[in-house]
Each structure stands twice: as C-alpha cells, then as structure tokens.
C-alpha cells in the first residue's frame, strides 16, 4: 500500500487533484478549469463528460508529480453539491447537461409547491426549504423536458447522482452507484437524520415525481465506495471517502465538536455550524443538513448559503474589466477612505439565506457623479461581509451563537476583506495557513477509513493560521450595515 491519498476536488469552476501524505501535507496538485454555460436567464450548466475527462486528466497529472500510482493508497472525493446529473445506466453518458447548483430554472415549480402549502412539511422532512438550489426539482425538470426520460426512468434505465456519485460511477465503470450522506442531504429527497434515522424519503420522491429506482445507495463519508478501474491510473485504487464540499471543509477545519463553525468563500459562501447529534430546526430560513458521519462519529449541522461571493470578483475582473486580477481588488479597496455610499447587492442568480429570493436580481445603489470604478470594486468586496453578517444574525436568532469564524476558500487570501469581515461581523476571523480545507477534509476522512487518523485526535487539532480581530468602531460598522440594509430592501422590492 502507498503512503499517499489522492483527493478529487470537483468544484463549480474547476476540477483539481491534490495528493496528501500520511501527515496530510500536500505533495502534488493539478487543476483544470471547467467552463460554465448560461443558455437562458437563470440557467447554469456544465458538460458532465467534460467534468469527467478533466478529472481523469488532473488525477493522472498529480499522480505523475507524486512519483507514480504505486504511491497512492486510495482516493477521497469532495464536490460541488446539489449539481444534478442524470445518465444512461447502460452507457454511463449523461442525457442532459449537468444542472449547476446556482441554476434557477425550476423557480416556477418551487413557487407552485410553496403556494400549494408544502414548504412546512418539506422542511420538517428534509431540513431544507423549497428552492431551485437543491437537486430534487432539477431531476424533475430533466425528466419532464428530455424526450422519453420519464418513461426510461420509470423503467429503471436512468440513474441520478450529484457530482461525486457520477464520478464514482465512472471511476468504477458502473460497478458503484453510491452517494454519501452529506450530498444526499442536499437533494430535497433525503429524510433528515443521522444513521438509520436518515434515508431516501418516499414522501419527497412522490411529491417531486422522482422514481426511487434512480437514486444511489447512501453511505457514510468515510466508507467503502468501490474500486477504480485499473486501466484509468495503472492500478485499481479503493475509493475511501466522499463528502459535499462544505461539509468536507467543516471536517478540514476540525469542526467535529458542537458549536464550532466555518465559512468557505468560493464561488458562493457557505457558513456551516456543527450542531451535535440534535436535529436543527430553523425558524429563520437556515438549512438543516448532515454535517458528517465517519469513524463512529456524526453530527448534524445548520447552514446558511450565499450564492455569490467569488463570482463578484470574477464579474469585476472578466466582465466589467475594472481589475486585472483578484489580488488587485484588495489594493483598490484599501486605497479608498470609504465606499462613497455605493452598495452592490450581487443577486446574479437570486439571493440565498436568509432571504431565499430566487427571482431577485443584482442592484447597484448610491451612485453619484463622484462614483469611480474603484468604488464598485470596493462595494463588490464589501457585499461579501454584509451577506456574512446577515447569516450570523440568522444563526444567532436560531439559538446558535458563533463566537469566532474559521474561514477558507480562494477569497481568504485578501487581507483587506478578512479584516472588513471581522469589523462588520464583530467577531474574530481565523484564517488557516493551509487554505485548501475542502480537499483536506476529504483527505482526513480517507485517512480515517484507512486507519491512519483518529477522529478524536483530529477534533482536538489546532489549525495554524492568522487571526483578524475587529478594529472598526461599532458606530461606523452599524452605519455601513444600515446602508446595506437599505440597498437590500430596494433589491427585494
């Protein structure tokens, strides 16, 4: 057996392979972008076959960097959640593009379900709200809009999976149609609970018109997910772990005890708090979900989702061309004395928690003749902090007090933004020195499955990094938040 773990980290805009040693230090990395397509207003898609092809390419590249496949003990997987694929069981080929978690095409379906009075019972069953964000209505859309799909699904010819499930199917050449408990809990089809209390919901399958025969088998996050085909990498490799990216980051940040929380700033931003074994019931439109199940441990979690975080910087760079690279945004923001009264509400694909406004679209408010391009850059960054504070206020109203916030993801390299988040949220921000917490969590789970790592030891881990303490005067912070609240009301109106 080798001494390395190969982690597949399949994100919204790229797929990566990262290899870790027994001490969970990174030894190799390969990455390729996977483009998004926007064929209609509110639609976001990817090519499932391209995701697979690029996943294989980065895995092979990372394995070569690490000295060959004999070094690899097994595979861990973490992935963008809620993204939906339906494929032909005979060929393994998707019958439609992957519908990305940001996609809003089922907004009308969700509105009909809400108007019919289903939301309270859906939340009671799944911990989730009725929203296009989740996989269930996306599956229904494919079955209703791809010719012959519904009949084929009912005949058992089609399979559904979130990204990790599709990758496992491809890695094992169709031998394993499985998912993990965290990804399952994000589909709108899962009866929320730990262990035997959770499972696929007959009630939700009937409500959303999804044949249960399409669904994969659910396993813990550290488990036997099958074995990769030898022809792919030159050696058959056991698949040891799988977890949705946000729950994987929760594990990576060592948030295995109740009351600990992390937020990942990637394409979106996702705040997840460990709630222990008790099922969370939110009165403030947050989501109940499974935090993790592994190595004889498990926890529920409360989550708030921001749909647009890193996308704001991409928009400023690629579409408005106000900056040349993401790092420049920090310098631009720091060069201004204030935001000039300008606020951007980045509802490019609606607003997530705690608003859940699928039809909302972005706004820019407070523009005057004195507004400069730099004000827009700063307002874009500031919006991430304001959205984070909205989430924290909702968590507190639900009785989950988060005293400090562990952060990770691409945006946390921005020192100016980290300090501004600490100021607006009025809490310490802890940034780890090693930033790839999503991949690290998948590696830790795989190491638990191999017996290399004790879960209790990992829970006691102190994550080395930088601490940002609030510095802004409370009156100044309150004044900025009031300006955001005004801009948000205009957007929602």
């Amino acid at each position: 057996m080798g001494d390395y773990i190969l982690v597949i980290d399949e994100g919204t805009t790229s797929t990566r392979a990262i290899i870790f040693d027994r001490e969970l230090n990174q030894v190799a990395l390969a990455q390729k972008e996977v483009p998004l397509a926007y064929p209609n207003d509110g639609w976001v898609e990817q090519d499932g076959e391209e995701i697979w092809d690029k996943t294989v390419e980065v895995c092979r590249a990372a394995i070569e960097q690490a000295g060959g496949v004999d070094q690899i003990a097994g595979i861990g997987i973490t992935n963008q959640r809620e993204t939906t694929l339906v494929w032909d069981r005979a060929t393994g080929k998707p019958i439609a593009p992957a519908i990305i978690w940001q996609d809003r095409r089922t907004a009308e379906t969700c509105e009909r379900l809400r108007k019919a009075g289903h939301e309270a019972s859906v939340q009671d069953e799944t911990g989730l709200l009725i929203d296009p964000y989740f996989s269930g209505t996306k599956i229904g859309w494919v079955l209703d809009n791809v010719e012959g799909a519904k009949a084929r699904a009912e005949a058992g010819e089609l399979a559904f999976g979130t990204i990790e499930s599709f990758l496992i199917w491809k890695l094992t050449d169709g031998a394993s149609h499985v998912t993990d408990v965290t990804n399952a809990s994000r589909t709108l089809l899962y009866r929320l609970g730990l262990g035997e209390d959770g499972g696929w919901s007959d009630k939700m399958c009937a409500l959303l018109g999804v044949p249960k025969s399409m669904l994969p088998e659910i396993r813990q996050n550290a488990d036997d997910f099958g074995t990769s085909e030898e022809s792919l990498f030159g050696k058959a490799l056991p698949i040891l772990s799988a977890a949705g990216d946000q729950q994987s980051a929760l594990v990576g940040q060592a948030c295995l005890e109740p009351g600990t929380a992390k937020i990942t700033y990637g394409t979106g931003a996702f705040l997840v708090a460990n709630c222990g074994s008790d099922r969370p019931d939110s009165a403030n439109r947050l989501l109940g979900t499974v935090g993790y199940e592994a190595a004889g441990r498990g926890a529920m979690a409360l989550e708030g989702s921001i749909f647009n975080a890193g996308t704001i910087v991409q928009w400023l760079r690629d579409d408005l061309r106000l900056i040349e690279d993401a790092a420049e945004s920090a310098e631009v923001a720091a060069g201004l004395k204030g935001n000039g009264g300008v606020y951007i509400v980045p509802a490019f694909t609606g607003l997530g928690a705690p608003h859940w406004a699928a039809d909302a679209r972005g706004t820019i408010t407070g523009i005057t003749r004195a507004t400069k391009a730099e004000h827009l850059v700063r307002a874009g960054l500031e919006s991430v902090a304001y959205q984070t504070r909205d989430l924290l206020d909702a968590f507190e109203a639900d009785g989950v007090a988060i005293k400090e916030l562990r952060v990770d993801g691409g945006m946390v390299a921005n020192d100016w933004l980290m300090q501004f988040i600490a100021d607006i949220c009025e809490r310490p921000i802890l940034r780890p020195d090693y930033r790839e917490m999503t991949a690290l969590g998948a590696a830790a789970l795989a190491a638990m499955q191999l017996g290399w790592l004790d879960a209790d030891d990992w829970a006691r881990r102190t994550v080395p990094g930088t601490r940002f303490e609030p510095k802004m005067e409370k009156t100044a912070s309150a004044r900025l938040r009031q300006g955001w609240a005004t801009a948000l009301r205009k957007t929602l109106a």
Side-chain angles (χ1 to χ4, degrees):
M1 177 183 286
D3 288 324
Y4 293 165
I5 293 167
L6 167 65
V7 170
I8 297 169
D9 183 355
E10 208 297 308
T12 308
T13 56
S14 71
T15 187
R16 298 184 296 176
I18 303 179
I19 294 178
F20 296 87
D21 63 17
R22 279 180 177 260
E23 286 69 46
L24 299 185
N25 297 310
Q26 178 180 310
V27 297
L29 180 148
Q31 178 170 342
K32 283 186 176 290
E33 289 192 7
V34 183
L36 295 164
Y38 306 89
N40 288 302
D41 179 39
W43 291 29
V44 192
E45 297 179 346
Q46 278 176 326
D47 183 329
E49 284 294 313
E50 184 173 8
I51 291 172
W52 165 242
D53 290 343
K54 289 189 173 179
T55 296
V56 173
E57 288 176 25
V58 296
C59 286
R60 289 172 174 168
I63 288 169
E64 184 177 354
Q65 287 178 38
V69 72
D70 287 338
Q71 304 290 328
I72 309 300
I75 298 172
I77 302 175
T78 183
N79 59 287
Q80 52 168 313
R81 304 170 306 168
E82 297 95 18
T83 292
T84 298
L85 274 162
V86 176
W87 63 91
D88 186 315
R89 288 185 179 273
T91 66
K93 292 188 177 298
I95 66 169
I99 303 178
I100 302 305
W101 58 272
Q102 295 170 311
D103 190 282
R104 317 304 290 169
R105 74 185 66 186
T106 63
E108 289 186 7
T109 300
C110 292
E111 184 61 22
R112 284 198 302 271
L113 290 168
R114 282 192 293 269
K115 286 184 176 178
H118 291 295
E119 183 148 86
S121 62
V122 167
Q123 187 174 17
D124 184 62
E125 181 80 352
T126 69
L128 308 178
L129 301 171
I130 297 175
D131 191 85
Y133 178 30
F134 306 108
S135 309
T137 58
K138 294 177 169 67
I139 304 169
W141 188 94
V142 172
L143 298 185
D144 290 339
N145 288 275
V146 175
E147 186 176 356
K150 187 177 285 290
R152 294 188 64 202
E154 291 171 348
E157 297 176 12
L158 301 180
F160 152 74
T162 41
I163 294 294
E164 91 300 338
S165 185
F166 177 67
L167 292 179
I168 292 168
W169 176 285
K170 301 290 270 188
L171 285 165
T172 63
D173 195 26
S176 292
H177 184 208
V178 294
T179 187
D180 71 90
V181 65
T182 61
N183 276 293
S185 73
R186 310 294 297 185
T187 60
L188 266 183
L189 300 171
Y190 181 81
R191 184 181 66 256
L192 186 60
L194 293 174
E196 295 183 358
D197 291 335
W200 295 125
S201 167
D202 293 329
K203 175 181 175 181
M204 291 305 303
C205 287
L207 179 65
L208 300 180
V210 176
K212 206 171 178 182
S213 61
M214 296 179 69
L215 305 181
E217 180 185 339
I218 301 169
R219 299 191 179 169
Q220 292 191 358
N221 297 114
D223 211 326
D224 175 9
F225 289 91
T227 304
S228 71
E229 284 289 295
E230 183 178 351
S231 60
L232 286 172
F233 308 122
K235 174 185 171 183
L237 296 172
I239 303 168
L240 305 164
S241 71
D245 51 9
Q246 304 313 315
Q247 286 96 332
S248 190
L250 190 75
V251 174
Q253 290 271 29
C255 296
L256 302 189
E257 297 296 337
T260 52
K262 69 91 214 176
I263 185 166
T264 299
Y265 291 106
T267 301
F270 303 88
L271 175 56
V272 185
N274 185 319
C275 294
S277 59
D278 294 336
R279 176 191 156 122
D281 292 308
S282 175
N284 292 277
R285 301 183 66 76
L286 299 173
L287 306 175
T289 190
V290 175
Y292 72 95
E293 283 187 21
R297 302 172 62 109
M300 304 297 290
L302 195 64
E303 177 172 333
S305 307
I306 296 169
F307 290 162
N308 290 283
T311 45
I312 302 161
V313 178
Q314 291 176 329
W315 174 65
L316 293 167
R317 181 193 65 195
D318 300 340
D319 299 308
L320 299 191
R321 300 184 180 180
L322 299 182
I323 51 175
E324 292 186 4
D325 56 54
E328 186 184 347
S329 64
E331 182 180 346
V332 170
L336 295 173
K337 291 182 178 180
N339 64 11
V342 178
Y343 290 85
I344 294 176
V345 180
F348 302 130
T349 50
L351 287 170
H355 315 292
W356 296 106
D359 294 331
R361 291 296 178 264
T363 60
I364 304 173
T365 63
I367 294 175
T368 69
R369 186 63 183 83
T371 299
K372 301 176 181 179
E374 290 83 352
H375 289 111
L376 296 180
V377 174
R378 177 158 173 158
L381 290 181
E382 285 191 359
S383 71
V384 177
Y386 300 132
Q387 291 180 95
T388 303
R389 178 60 187 255
D390 287 349
L391 288 182
L392 287 167
D393 289 346
F395 272 76
E396 192 162 329
D398 270 341
V400 179
I402 299 171
K403 295 180 180 179
E404 62 181 26
L405 201 52
R406 303 180 191 185
V407 300
D408 58 85
M411 296 189 83
V412 304
N414 187 323
D415 284 0
W416 184 90
L417 178 59
M418 293 302 99
Q419 184 59 54
F420 191 76
I421 292 173
D423 290 338
I424 292 300
C425 294
E426 300 177 301
R427 290 168 175 82
I429 300 296
L430 281 67
R431 181 181 67 188
D433 290 337
Y434 182 70
R435 310 287 168 79
E436 305 301 337
M437 285 294 171
T438 298
L440 182 63
L445 289 163
M448 291 175 198
Q449 181 68 4
L450 287 167
W452 293 0
L453 180 66
D454 181 81
D456 290 332
D457 289 342
W458 189 254
R460 290 190 291 266
R461 174 176 181 255
T462 299
V463 181
T466 304
R467 187 178 179 93
F468 296 84
E469 296 283 354
K471 294 180 180 178
M472 185 181 293
E473 291 185 6
K474 289 185 178 294
T475 53
S477 174
R479 186 167 59 250
L480 287 168
R481 296 199 308 273
Q482 183 58 49
W484 165 256
T486 300
L488 189 61
R489 281 197 300 272
K490 292 177 180 178
T491 302
L492 293 171

